[in-house]
């Protein structure tokens, strides 16, 4: 809230925080596919060599709560 009021960057800036979160979550998926090198296409938001890992990315959103594509 302080950052909004002062119009200064937040200490948990999305410019780098989002990337860090993505890396941590991708690491979690990699742990589930032990022994396999996963190839991730960041632009497409999908693994190019693992349908199992891609299925773990899928979400079933409640009606009215979908994300725009």
């Amino acid at each position: 809230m302080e950052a909004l009021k002062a119009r200064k960057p937040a200490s948990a800036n999305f410019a780098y925080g989002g990337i860090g979160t993505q890396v941590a979550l991708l690491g979690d998926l990699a742990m589930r596919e032990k022994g396999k090198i996963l190839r991730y296409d960041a632009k497409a938001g999908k693994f190019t060599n693992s349908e199992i890992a891609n299925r773990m990315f899928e979400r079933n959103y409640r009606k009215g709560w979908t994300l725009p594509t």
Side-chain angles (χ1 to χ4, degrees):
M1 193 61 124
E2 300 268 335
L4 289 173
K5 290 179 183 177
R7 297 189 182 268
K8 294 181 181 177
S11 60
N13 194 328
F14 285 108
Y16 61 85
I19 295 168
T21 301
Q22 184 180 38
V23 168
L25 293 173
L26 289 172
D28 184 44
L29 287 175
M31 292 296 293
R32 294 172 183 254
E33 289 263 2
K34 288 184 182 180
K36 183 174 184 178
I37 295 174
L38 296 175
R39 309 241 182 254
Y40 183 69
D41 180 351
K43 284 189 177 185
K46 293 184 177 188
F47 290 94
T48 59
N49 66 338
S50 176
E51 282 305 313
I52 293 170
N54 283 327
R55 275 189 250 128
M56 286 188 236
F57 263 158
E58 292 174 4
R59 295 286 178 260
N60 295 321
Y61 293 102
R62 291 182 287 169
K63 186 176 180 181
W65 290 87
T66 58
L67 295 175
T69 56

